[in-house]
Amino acid sequence: MKSITLVTKGRNTCEALENQLIELIGDRVNIKSYYIDGRIRNNIADDLIVVSSQIIYHEAKKYMNPASPVIIARRSLNYNEIDKLLDIPSGADVLLVNDLISTSEETVSLLKAMGIDHINYHPYSPEIKEYPKLELAVTPGELELVPDCVKRVIDIKTRNIDVTTLVEILKALDLLDEKANLLSAKYIKDIINMIKKIKRMADANKRISNQLQTIINTVHDGIIALDEKGNLSVFNPVAEEIFGATGSEILGKNIRDDFPKKYMLLIFNKQIGEEQFIKIRDKHIVVNSSLIKEDDKVIGALYTLKDVTEIQRLEEELRRKLRSQENYARYTFDDIAGTSEAIKSTIGLAKKIAVSHSPILIQGESGTGKELFAQAIHNASPRKRGPFVPVNFAALPESLLESELFGYEEGAFTGARKGGMPGLFEQAHGGTIFLDEIGDAPLSFQVRLLRVLQEKQVRRIGSSRMIPIDIRVIAATNKDIKQLIEKGDFRQDLYYRLNVLPLHIPPLRERKQDIFPLAKTFYTEFFNREPLINAEDYFKEVKEALLAYDWPGNIRELHNIVEYLINISFDIIPKNDLLPEELIRVIKEKGEKNDKEKILVKILMEIARANAANIPIGRRSLSKITGLTEGTIRKVIEEMKKKGLIRANKGIKGLEYGRAHGRCMAYIGNNSIFYLSWASYIDAKNLFSFSCHTVFHIFLR
């Protein structure tokens, strides 16, 4: 078997070329190798000596036997590694590092010849002293020669022996026969692999490009892109519709030159990044823009345009979807605050009727929490996994009641949605429908509602088909239904259909024990965290006022008052004068009324005591006994005389209880008159030793 000797300058090149020769012709030729910078000997002789380059030959020939034939190798780039250079940005500066400046320059020439010419190459070898201090370097396998200034190195591996040199080697050894075709096949394998890799990259780029184009063409926004020179490179169908122009007449045009649609320049006049609202062809458009950058270099600008009417349509669609998702009950009985006997009794009854499927009628004043109870009942019922659909009759105009509650078919009326729409009764199937403010339901509509409740089926507007429904009905009202029935404003049969399980929610004035705990709960919930001031301390100055007020707006009014106090006095304990003016006025009037009633009872008691002891009594004696002025006593006596509680006698006898049919009348405030027989009054005279306040409460009972 014939043999060859390979001679190179450095070790890396030697090992790489030796491995290439072994892989390609190692089964037919013995291969030895030497490199000048380390492993070399004199008088190298062989069937053939292969030198890595012309420059190396001049340095290596002193070690070679002149009688041995020599071939100087031609070298080509490693095709498996070239694709690494495609990721380098266009115009980037790189060092091309090799062992000799000549080989660096040769490598640069080969790269440019292959079309890798988008990079600015700077040849480098260790003998070069002046060179640009760049952070990026490319080297064909000479990693140890890269200077210290470089932070990133791309190794394209050592240049291979060219196929033409391999053919010369086989020919020189007289081995160029029919098997030489295998050599070509092995050699071009790397080229084929590179072509496949590039094709895969091209296919991937094509797929990405197609996907991007599909996205651009299908989004609901108009999209316009400019390159760095101001030429339009993207103009999607939505932009075509907005501007009334086609891409074929727009793309490639420069906005600074002869632009075909002058009004389009409106969007390019504003600073990039600034949102703008413009009117184009009777459409109001929102325009957003941003720069397109590549490695911090601006390569263009992107504009997105949205029709305001499209935004409104999407918002309406979103609201419809959110509304369909809101058919659930959030509250349970645990969310109902209060420790008074009135509310505990109401909750206990509500829990009992929750397990039933029968209709419930919740009655209570506005703001008492009727819907809160309705949701809690639903969540405690066997239907808790079904929908909870609220309907407020006070909020729905009569013209929309039927379509909202019973639904409609496509084309049932002008403006009907395509495909129709199920009504709220259908949406509540398997769950609970909450008919709030049922007292406001129009009389003409109550007939249809009664039939739905009786038959358990609905018929959409524009349809002849009956749709069965399985629902539990909870109705609520703050009106006196029986009074509405007497007036003819509410059907009696509908009332009895709904009032199977009645539930009365007590007003806040009947559960004053709950006022302060509720206020503290609202105060804590407002912060969504632990408040800075303890609730007990925060309300200390207004607690008495809150308890004295009757709360006609009930819990809703209390919640509003708490929120009002927090907003005007966020981080200090509020004083009484911070309460709303209306609340202060009502409390003041109530206090004055109570004081007046106490005075009346006090005077009445003194008159009764004097009458029982047969002691004359008048204004002056009452003034001395009570400490009140004669003017005040005169006014009270006049009021009691009008009410028939006392009578004024002429002469020494003075004032005495008014007597009618042997009875004594005693006035105890709040527009109530209590009667005691005169005998009972005489027997009860020992009560006069009690305080006025005590006697007042005895009479009140």
Side-chain angles (χ1 to χ4, degrees):
M1 182 181 290
K2 293 184 178 182
S3 66
I4 62 175
T5 297
L6 174 66
V7 180
T8 67
K9 178 173 177 55
R11 178 179 176 179
N12 290 342
T13 304
C14 183
E15 290 178 353
L17 298 185
E18 182 180 13
N19 289 334
Q20 182 192 8
L21 290 171
I22 291 172
E23 182 181 357
L24 294 175
I25 60 175
D27 58 338
R28 311 178 72 184
V29 179
N30 287 325
I31 301 169
K32 298 188 293 292
S33 64
Y34 299 97
Y35 53 93
I36 298 172
D37 290 344
R39 191 181 69 195
I40 194 70
R41 68 180 181 84
N42 292 319
N43 198 28
I44 298 172
D46 211 332
D47 294 330
L48 181 64
I49 298 175
V50 178
V51 183
S52 59
S53 70
Q54 183 68 45
I55 295 174
I56 301 304
Y57 171 73
H58 294 302
E59 189 175 349
K61 64 181 179 179
K62 60 184 177 183
Y63 300 105
M64 299 184 298
N65 189 321
S68 297
V70 177
I71 289 180
I72 298 173
R74 286 176 291 278
R75 308 268 295 282
S76 62
L77 295 170
N78 191 324
Y79 301 109
N80 283 325
E81 308 295 333
I82 294 301
D83 59 307
K84 294 178 181 178
L85 304 181
L86 300 178
D87 295 330
I88 299 176
S90 179
D93 292 305
V94 301
L95 288 178
L96 197 296
V97 180
N98 214 327
D99 52 358
L100 297 170
I101 191 64
S102 58
T103 54
S104 293
E105 292 171 347
E106 185 180 354
T107 303
V108 169
S109 298
L110 289 172
L111 287 170
K112 290 183 176 180
M114 291 182 64
I116 314 297
D117 55 0
H118 65 289
I119 305 169
N120 297 326
Y121 299 102
H122 299 269
Y124 169 85
S125 66
E127 69 264 24
I128 299 295
K129 301 304 179 186
E130 297 294 331
Y131 59 92
K133 304 300 187 290
L134 304 176
E135 295 184 353
L136 178 61
V138 174
T139 181
E142 304 291 355
L143 294 170
E144 73 279 1
L145 303 180
V146 176
D148 294 337
C149 64
V150 174
K151 294 182 178 179
R152 180 189 171 204
V153 181
I154 297 176
D155 184 8
I156 59 174
K157 305 301 180 184
T158 303
R159 291 183 298 146
N160 290 329
I161 297 174
D162 191 79
V163 66
T164 58
T165 301
L166 293 172
V167 172
E168 288 184 29
I169 292 172
L170 292 176
K171 186 175 181 181
L173 298 175
D174 198 23
L175 296 174
L176 192 61
D177 52 20
E178 69 279 356
K179 292 183 179 181
N181 292 332
L182 294 175
L183 174 65
S184 299
K186 288 181 180 180
Y187 187 83
I188 65 173
K189 180 178 67 175
D190 289 344
I191 299 176
I192 298 299
N193 288 337
M194 186 185 73
I195 293 172
K196 288 181 178 179
K197 187 181 293 185
I198 292 174
K199 186 177 185 305
R200 284 195 298 269
M201 291 173 62
D203 291 343
N205 287 336
K206 185 178 180 180
R207 283 195 301 272
I208 293 172
S209 177
N210 290 338
Q211 290 172 356
L212 181 60
Q213 192 62 45
T214 302
I215 293 170
I216 290 172
N217 290 340
T218 55
V219 294
H220 294 287
D221 293 352
I223 298 178
I224 299 175
L226 307 176
D227 61 20
E228 66 272 21
K229 297 178 181 178
N231 299 318
L232 265 81
S233 55
V234 176
F235 195 77
N236 76 338
V238 178
E240 292 180 347
E241 183 180 348
I242 290 173
F243 287 102
T246 62
S248 58
E249 62 179 312
I250 294 295
L251 289 173
K253 300 292 184 180
N254 191 284
I255 62 171
R256 301 181 188 90
D257 300 331
D258 185 20
F259 201 64
K261 300 289 182 181
K262 298 297 183 184
Y263 58 84
M264 284 183 62
L265 293 175
L266 284 170
I267 71 170
F268 306 125
N269 290 336
K270 296 284 186 178
Q271 183 176 351
I272 297 292
E274 180 181 347
E275 187 176 66
Q276 54 179 313
F277 295 85
I278 59 176
K279 188 175 181 181
I280 300 175
R281 301 175 67 241
D282 296 326
K283 291 183 179 180
H284 295 278
I285 307 297
V286 182
V287 182
N288 288 283
S289 57
S290 60
L291 294 173
I292 303 173
K293 295 184 178 181
E294 185 178 274
D295 295 321
D296 296 328
K297 181 182 178 182
V298 176
I299 60 171
L302 177 69
Y303 296 83
T304 59
L305 304 89
K306 181 165 301 277
D307 190 341
V308 172
T309 56
E310 176 68 6
I311 297 174
Q312 293 171 339
R313 185 192 70 78
L314 292 173
E315 182 184 12
E316 291 172 0
E317 186 67 25
L318 177 61
R319 285 180 178 177
R320 280 196 292 269
K321 289 182 178 179
L322 289 176
R323 180 179 174 184
S324 66
Q325 295 170 2
E326 287 176 353
N327 293 337
Y328 70 95
R330 293 183 295 166
Y331 300 109
T332 67
F333 286 114
D334 292 335
D335 296 306
I336 302 176
T339 58
S340 66
E341 287 301 320
I343 197 64
K344 286 196 292 186
S345 174
T346 305
I347 293 173
L349 177 59
K351 287 181 177 179
K352 290 179 181 178
I353 64 178
V355 297
S356 169
H357 292 275
S358 301
I360 297 173
L361 179 61
I362 302 176
Q363 292 182 283
E365 297 178 8
S366 179
T368 52
K370 295 185 290 296
E371 183 168 356
L372 179 64
F373 268 89
Q375 293 192 25
I377 289 170
H378 171 79
N379 281 327
S381 74
R383 298 173 177 268
K384 63 183 178 182
R385 298 190 182 279
F388 176 87
V389 180
V391 182
N392 191 312
F393 284 93
L396 279 175
E398 187 173 352
S399 59
L400 294 179
L401 272 176
E402 287 199 32
S403 61
E404 286 290 319
L405 268 70
F406 306 135
Y408 55 83
E409 294 292 338
E410 180 178 344
F413 50 83
T414 303
R417 286 178 58 189
K418 187 176 182 180
M421 188 184 78
L424 295 176
F425 274 98
E426 283 185 65
Q427 293 177 35
H429 179 72
T432 302
I433 190 165
F434 176 54
L435 306 178
D436 197 11
E437 307 294 353
I438 189 66
D440 291 303
L443 195 60
S444 59
F445 181 76
Q446 293 177 25
V447 180
R448 284 209 63 182
L449 182 59
L450 178 63
R451 183 168 183 81
V452 169
L453 298 179
Q454 288 175 337
E455 304 298 330
K456 300 287 186 181
Q457 53 185 1
V458 295
R459 186 176 65 215
R460 294 185 184 181
I461 298 174
S463 173
S464 59
R465 181 171 60 94
M466 300 300 293
I467 302 172
I469 53 173
D470 173 25
I471 57 172
R472 201 259 181 94
V473 177
I474 300 178
T477 183
N478 59 4
K479 296 184 177 181
D480 188 332
I481 298 293
K482 290 186 177 180
Q483 284 188 5
L484 294 177
I485 293 172
E486 291 176 3
K487 294 178 181 178
D489 293 333
F490 201 88
R491 294 181 62 92
Q492 189 174 38
D493 48 3
L494 177 58
Y495 169 70
Y496 288 120
R497 172 62 61 180
L498 295 172
N499 195 39
V500 178
L501 298 173
L503 182 68
H504 174 73
I505 311 299
L508 196 53
R509 63 180 173 275
E510 294 179 8
R511 41 181 291 212
K512 289 201 171 184
Q513 181 182 340
D514 297 331
I515 291 175
F516 196 52
L518 282 168
K520 291 195 291 185
T521 299
F522 297 150
Y523 173 76
T524 305
E525 287 177 351
F526 183 86
F527 291 95
N528 288 323
R529 55 179 173 80
E530 191 65 29
L532 298 175
I533 301 174
N534 179 273
E536 191 77 31
D537 294 332
Y538 185 83
F539 289 106
K540 182 170 60 176
E541 298 295 332
V542 295
K543 182 176 181 180
E544 186 177 345
L546 296 179
L547 294 175
Y549 188 52
D550 279 342
W551 300 104
N554 292 293
I555 298 173
R556 185 181 294 118
E557 184 181 11
L558 175 60
H559 184 277
N560 291 346
I561 292 294
V562 172
E563 188 170 346
Y564 165 84
L565 290 173
I566 293 171
N567 277 285
I568 66 169
S569 180
F570 186 75
D571 57 356
I572 62 171
I573 299 174
K575 303 295 182 183
N576 277 352
D577 57 1
L578 289 178
L579 290 172
E581 184 178 344
E582 177 65 17
L583 190 147
I584 293 175
R585 183 184 63 78
V586 172
I587 292 174
K588 184 178 179 181
E589 289 177 355
K590 185 174 181 180
E592 291 174 351
K593 184 179 180 181
N594 288 340
D595 291 342
K596 185 177 179 181
E597 289 179 351
K598 288 178 182 179
I599 292 172
L600 187 149
V601 171
K602 187 174 183 179
I603 292 174
L604 195 61
M605 292 290 292
E606 293 300 330
I607 295 173
R609 181 182 290 110
N611 289 170
N614 291 318
I615 299 173
I617 191 168
R619 289 195 305 271
R620 291 180 183 176
S621 54
L622 282 172
S623 177
K624 291 179 181 179
I625 295 170
T626 62
L628 300 171
T629 65
E630 286 191 37
T632 300
I633 291 173
R634 183 185 297 110
K635 291 179 182 178
V636 174
I637 286 173
E638 290 300 320
E639 185 174 341
M640 288 193 290
K641 283 167 62 178
K642 290 178 182 178
K643 296 180 181 293
L645 296 175
I646 62 171
R647 65 185 179 190
N649 298 311
K650 293 182 178 181
I652 194 170
K653 203 166 187 180
L655 301 170
E656 66 175 339
Y657 264 109
R659 299 186 180 184
H661 305 291
R663 291 185 178 273
C664 172
M665 297 185 296
Y667 175 75
I668 310 297
N670 287 331
N671 299 320
S672 300
I673 298 177
F674 295 81
Y675 296 85
L676 281 77
S677 70
W678 187 249
S680 298
Y681 160 70
I682 297 299
D683 294 339
K685 63 183 179 180
N686 290 330
L687 290 174
F688 298 146
S689 61
F690 292 0
S691 68
C692 292
H693 183 70
T694 304
V695 174
F696 173 76
H697 280 287
I698 290 172
F699 280 148
L700 189 60
R701 292 192 181 93

